[in-house]
Amino acid sequence: MSELLEFPINYEKDLKVLVERIEMIQNTFGLSKHDYTKISSVLLDIAYNMLNVGYKGKMNVRVKLVALKKISLSIDTIIFDIDQFNFSRFISQNSSWIQSFGCTLYSQYINSTATIYCTFPELHIFRLINNETIIQLSEILEYSHEESLLNKSRDQLIEEILARSAKLNEAVDLITQIKEKNKEIEKLNEIQIQQNIQLRLSMEELKKADQMKTSFLANMSHELRTPLNSIIGFSELLEDGTLGQLDEDQLDVIHYILQSGRHLLELINQILDISKIEAGQMELHYESINISLLLDEVHTHVSPLLLSKTIELNKTCTYMESTFFDPIRIKQVLINLLSNAIKFSNEHSRIELICDRFNEGDYIKFSVVDYGIGIKDENLEEIFKEFKQVDESHTRAFQGTGLGLSLCKKLVELHDGKIWVESIYGEGSIFSFILPIINGE
């Protein structure tokens, strides 16, 4: 342990010089602001209380290198001509507060002389210090009181006051700048709050408008389906000859009316289904399904379309177990995918309908493969959006509304599944979707 400073505490002016010495120690070792505060607080408190009750003494400051960039600082405060009772009271009044700063404290009383030992263990410093540095510092600290701040020349004091005043002005300017910046930030925050309020109101209005749109589509779909079903029903009666025989030209007109009516009914049903899903009113009715039988039913449904273009449908099903899902809605998805495949395939081509377990996991996978016109890469992201036709030339050549694939996506996702497409333009497409395998209700 190296002796750093022996300092008398006899008069109130000694407290000011003590502050100067502590600052020099702090500047040399590079103590943190926290450590500097607690050391100066303990030393000044002991010295002030000692003078306040009329006693004199001295302080010995010692330092020890604990480790690299760590020191231990000890202060021995010696009080002269104090009786045992007053010293015990002095300790009881100050020890708790001093120890709250994290220093180790104990005392000793011998022949009217009391000693208080305070140790600050393992203080972190910000400079590399060795024993030679400590010796040099102790020599600097030992200058006489006449050289202290209290006895500096008038010019020196004025110079120091001006320097500190300049620093104070800089601090005031900095505070002013900070206040101005804070005002700017407050204005920006107010603007942001107003924008957020406006955005929230706009979102609420859009939500209401979307709900009104969904309600309108659902109501209109119901209103349109009723007369349309009548048109289709009477057209079928005329086509079958139930109401009398028609000539060939009349049959052609009735066939066109019937075909257009069915197409319009399909469109209305799709709009109604999408509206129900968006409104959260679509209910699924799960049943135990035999996949092979389901694929046969789908094949039967699209057979007229296949025959019209002489297209062959090859079915492959390696998943032979039963599972649970809504058969009507999944059949609707498969028929829609197959209808699209037939629509965009050339005559005398083939289409494949495949069903198997997905990656040997807990999903069943359905795929519809065609060898038709395919889809361009830039259109793959758009294919499942509502009312989206990826190629206007194909829209003119092939009937379509752009609702079918969007509805397929919504129905698959309603089953907690996923649908996607892979395609090479000019060679064909593969539409696939997966559904979770459910073994019981």
Side-chain angles (χ1 to χ4, degrees):
M1 184 75 71
S2 301
E3 188 77 28
L4 194 62
L5 173 67
E6 181 178 310
F7 192 81
I9 304 295
N10 298 321
Y11 307 100
E12 188 172 341
K13 67 179 182 178
D14 293 330
L15 298 180
K16 298 180 180 180
V17 182
L18 177 60
V19 171
E20 178 189 351
R21 297 296 204 279
I22 297 172
E23 287 180 352
M24 294 181 68
I25 294 172
Q26 192 269 343
N27 292 332
T28 301
F29 289 118
L31 294 173
S32 68
K33 185 176 181 180
H34 173 73
D35 288 340
Y36 165 72
T37 300
K38 69 181 182 182
I39 292 169
S40 59
S41 297
V42 170
L43 265 65
L44 285 172
D45 190 67
I46 293 175
Y48 176 80
N49 289 336
M50 186 170 67
L51 291 174
N52 196 43
V53 293
Y55 293 104
K56 297 181 178 181
K58 65 179 181 177
M59 286 186 176
N60 292 329
V61 182
R62 294 173 294 145
V63 67
K64 177 182 179 182
L65 291 174
V66 178
L68 183 64
K69 290 197 174 185
K70 287 184 180 180
I71 62 171
S72 174
L73 203 65
S74 297
I75 299 97
D76 304 340
T77 304
I78 302 172
I79 305 175
F80 301 113
D81 300 326
I82 187 171
D83 57 77
Q84 177 73 52
F85 174 77
N86 285 324
F87 178 66
S88 298
R89 187 173 63 177
F90 182 85
I91 289 295
S92 65
Q93 291 174 347
N94 292 277
S95 61
S96 297
W97 183 87
I98 294 171
Q99 287 176 340
S100 69
F101 282 93
C103 70
T104 305
L105 183 144
Y106 66 95
S107 60
Q108 186 179 22
Y109 183 85
I110 301 176
N111 298 328
S112 301
T113 300
T115 305
I116 303 172
Y117 301 93
C118 297
T119 302
F120 299 89
E122 295 197 5
L123 300 171
H124 293 269
I125 60 178
F126 298 98
R127 296 188 179 91
L128 291 174
I129 302 295
N130 53 34
N131 287 319
E132 183 178 351
T133 307
I134 296 173
I135 293 172
Q136 292 174 354
L137 177 62
S138 64
E139 292 174 355
I140 294 172
L141 292 173
E142 286 296 337
Y143 64 79
S144 66
H145 283 232
E146 286 73 24
E147 295 173 324
S148 70
L149 281 172
L150 297 176
N151 295 302
K152 283 185 178 179
S153 68
R154 180 175 176 275
D155 291 340
Q156 287 176 311
L157 289 174
I158 292 174
E159 183 180 348
E160 185 167 336
I161 290 170
L162 290 174
R164 294 188 180 185
S165 177
K167 290 183 178 179
L168 180 61
N169 289 334
E170 291 177 1
V172 171
D173 291 339
L174 181 60
I175 292 171
T176 303
Q177 294 175 10
I178 292 173
K179 287 182 177 179
E180 291 176 354
K181 290 292 183 183
N182 286 337
K183 289 181 180 178
E184 293 178 6
I185 292 172
E186 288 176 359
K187 290 181 180 178
L188 291 174
N189 286 337
E190 289 178 2
I191 294 172
Q192 184 67 44
I193 290 171
Q194 293 299 322
Q195 289 177 342
N196 288 339
I197 292 173
Q198 188 62 40
L199 179 61
R200 186 166 60 250
L201 292 174
S202 298
M203 290 178 65
E204 290 176 356
E205 289 177 0
L206 287 173
K207 186 177 179 181
K208 290 180 181 177
D210 187 62
Q211 290 174 346
M212 291 175 64
K213 178 210 72 174
T214 301
S215 177
F216 171 77
L217 289 175
N219 292 333
M220 286 303 298
S221 297
H222 282 296
E223 295 297 325
L224 288 171
R225 268 203 310 188
T226 302
L228 190 57
N229 281 324
S230 298
I231 293 172
I232 292 173
F234 285 120
S235 297
E236 288 175 344
L237 290 175
L238 290 172
E239 186 182 46
D240 294 340
T242 305
L243 301 178
Q245 295 298 319
L246 302 177
D247 58 35
E248 187 174 345
D249 291 337
Q250 291 172 330
L251 283 173
D252 288 340
V253 172
I254 292 299
H255 179 72
Y256 179 77
I257 294 173
L258 186 58
Q259 188 179 25
S260 299
R262 287 170 177 168
H263 177 69
L264 184 57
L265 181 61
E266 180 184 1
L267 173 60
I268 292 172
N269 286 335
Q270 288 176 346
I271 293 175
L272 182 59
D273 286 340
I274 289 176
S275 300
K276 283 183 177 180
I277 293 173
E278 290 180 348
Q281 297 175 355
M282 175 69 75
E283 295 183 1
L284 299 179
H285 301 282
Y286 284 79
E287 298 178 17
S288 178
I289 305 301
N290 184 301
I291 303 299
S292 295
L293 293 178
L294 178 72
L295 299 186
D296 289 339
E297 292 176 9
V298 172
H299 189 174
T300 301
H301 188 91
V302 298
S303 290
L305 295 176
L306 294 169
L307 290 172
S308 66
K309 298 184 72 172
T310 320
I311 294 175
E312 179 184 357
L313 176 62
N314 297 324
K315 301 194 300 294
T316 304
C317 183
T318 59
Y319 185 83
M320 306 306 295
E321 303 174 23
S322 295
T323 185
F324 281 80
F325 51 74
D326 188 324
I328 295 176
R329 295 305 176 185
I330 298 305
K331 190 188 300 183
Q332 184 179 355
V333 173
L334 289 171
I335 290 172
N336 205 316
L337 295 179
L338 284 170
S339 298
N340 281 347
I342 296 169
K343 184 190 306 181
F344 294 104
S345 293
N346 298 321
E347 293 186 356
H348 306 290
S349 62
R350 76 179 191 278
I351 294 173
E352 298 178 23
L353 177 58
I354 304 169
C355 176
D356 55 10
R357 187 184 288 269
F358 181 65
N359 288 344
E360 299 183 358
D362 297 328
Y363 290 85
I364 182 172
K365 177 182 177 183
F366 296 88
S367 297
V368 174
V369 184
D370 70 69
Y371 300 92
I373 62 176
I375 305 167
K376 294 179 181 179
D377 290 343
E378 60 267 25
N379 293 327
L380 292 177
E381 295 293 330
E382 307 291 321
I383 198 72
F384 292 104
K385 292 184 179 179
E386 294 177 16
F387 301 104
K388 184 67 178 178
Q389 292 289 328
V390 297
D391 192 330
E392 293 300 328
S393 63
H394 292 152
T395 304
R396 289 191 293 269
F398 306 99
Q399 282 189 339
T401 61
L403 285 175
L405 290 176
S406 174
L407 179 58
C408 288
K409 183 175 184 292
K410 293 179 183 295
L411 289 174
V412 169
E413 291 176 349
L414 207 58
H415 282 79
D416 295 324
K418 180 182 178 182
I419 189 169
W420 67 94
V421 61
E422 304 165 78
S423 184
I424 299 176
Y425 186 65
E427 296 185 16
S429 305
I430 304 175
F431 283 84
S432 303
F433 66 93
I434 57 174
L435 302 174
I437 297 174
I438 302 176
N439 296 319
E441 294 188 20

